[in-house]
Amino acid sequence: MTEHVKDDDADVIVVGAGPSGATTAYYLAQAGLTVLLLEKARFPREKVCGDGLTPRAVKTLIAMGVDVGPGSGWLRNKGLRVIGAGMRLELPWPELDSYPGYGLVRTRASLDETLARRAQAAGVKLLEGVTVTGPVLDDAGQIAGVTARAEASAGTGSGHSERDRSSTQTFRARVVVAADGNSSRLSVAMGLRRRDDRPLGVAVRTYYTSPRHDDDYLESWLDLWDGDRLLPGYGWIFGMGDGTSNVGLGLLNTSDAFGNTDYRELLKRWLRSMPEEWGYVEENRTEPVRGAALPMGFNRTPHYYRGLLLAGDAAGMVNPFNGEGIAYAMESGEILARTIAQALARPDREQAERVLRGYPQALAETYGGYYALGRLFVQLIGRPQLMRFATRHGMARPALMRFALKLLANLTDPRGGDAADRVINGMTRLAPNPR
Ligand SMILES: Cc1cc2nc3c(=O)[nH]c(=O)nc-3n(C[C@H](O)[C@H](O)[C@H](O)COP(=O)(O)OP(=O)(O)OC[C@H]3O[C@@H](n4cnc5c(N)ncnc54)[C@H](O)[C@@H]3O)c2cc1C
């Protein structure tokens, strides 16, 4: 970490204003720090996603003061409908003290802008249309700021003056956060690559106008076949409540099929098996089919390196059990902001450094055991016979599937709770916990 100098542009620079960056910035501003949030796109902007939010994500939205009440434009869901092995199960979200009993759906264009505006309202200076091009290093090789290129018409989106139209600019701060998503160019520029020994998913999705647009369950299909091979992953159908469904599928890198599957073709084939009246046919498609990677189970570490702190997809925070990333992006953003606020309140640089070094430890304590189980899970379901066995036997046992829902969606009460909660919490505590 660098010494505080008077010409810093902010206490903290956050790169990327997706869910992790906006949340980090929001909590930093709430703690009284000055924050510069740099975003290459302009809101509203698209992000390839399933747009599904579990109760875990809903909790993070409520904590940030986002209005999720009736009439505020969100489609609520009651649980997860699972389809597989010729069966169909509706599993309501568990009743817990720690999480609300419902999920939500909303387009990322709208969700991400809502979060970014919450950060702005808390006092964050958001610059849209500003692409970070690299780190600025101090003499010790620690990150001390970033270089950035502003789009020709880049304004602040919040009534601030127009930025220099062409030049590359330098921004300095005491701390820099990489919340720039799965590719995290900033982390890579600092020497932090993805770990090959950690899970990765790839998913594609598109939208169709459909009578199923207001489905009050998230729907997940476990039977994705490539010839006679059952693939490790699932297909989803999430009603958007706006006349369309978000339809997509994702696979894990633990199977042979991962690198040699035509995902778009697989999606087409899967959709051909759907009833025609659902409307998932070419004429009803409203968007191109787009895909992206899901970095899972801490697949980029260390989370604090040469002064740079990582959050969300940049830190490989997606849940390996179910591909959910928004809740973890926001949660890691909050943990990170609280760590930085404590660090910058310390009287000298050494002490601040000590606090920042605690961030990877805090993430490991919160998610390490669970992600270790998740890594084991993706290894197991990468074997087609095991995947087939699990689907067939699980689907025939609703009680087991209710347990699986709690495990896969990471929804338990940490204290008290029922027997399932205690088993899952116990497994998580006992799992080996490498960072
Ligand atoms: C097909 C698919 C379906 C998914 N479905 C779901 C789902 O249903 N539910 C769920 O919870 N999760 C889902 N996920 C995962 C989820 O999308 C991510 O985990 C989540 O977006 C991570 O948030 P983030 O803020 O870390 O990164 P991002 O959302 O990727 O945000 C990163 C931001 O950084 C900006 N940025 C990047 N580089 C720069 C730069 N150089 N300078 C300035 N800004 C930059 C980007 O423009 C972007 O705004 C899905 C992912 C995929 C690929």
Side-chain angles (χ1 to χ4, degrees), residues 199 294-300 303 310-319 371:
L294 294 102
M296 299 171 161
F298 288 163
N299 97 354
R300 187 179 277 112
H303 294 125
L310 275 49
D313 275 14
M317 292 290 305
V318 173
N319 180 347
Y371 283 177

Side-chain angles (χ1 to χ4, degrees), residues 344-420:
L344 296 190
R346 293 293 172 100
D348 62 47
R349 184 174 153 166
E350 276 71 21
Q351 287 202 41
E353 179 70 24
R354 234 203 264 145
V355 178
L356 292 180
R357 278 203 303 261
Y359 173 60
Q361 181 60 34
L363 288 187
E365 278 164 14
T366 312
Y367 306 105
Y370 181 75
Y371 283 177
L373 290 179
R375 293 198 288 270
L376 185 65
F377 171 81
V378 303
Q379 290 299 334
L380 292 176
I381 69 163
R383 301 184 199 170
Q385 306 89 324
L386 265 177
M387 173 80 184
R388 193 179 312 186
F389 177 86
T391 307
R392 207 180 296 146
H393 288 262
M395 287 299 289
R397 292 169 178 78
L400 184 60
M401 290 303 281
R402 280 195 292 278
F403 174 85
L405 178 67
K406 284 192 159 190
L407 174 65
L408 271 53
N410 199 5
L411 290 171
T412 58
D413 277 325
R415 271 168 292 280
D418 64 11

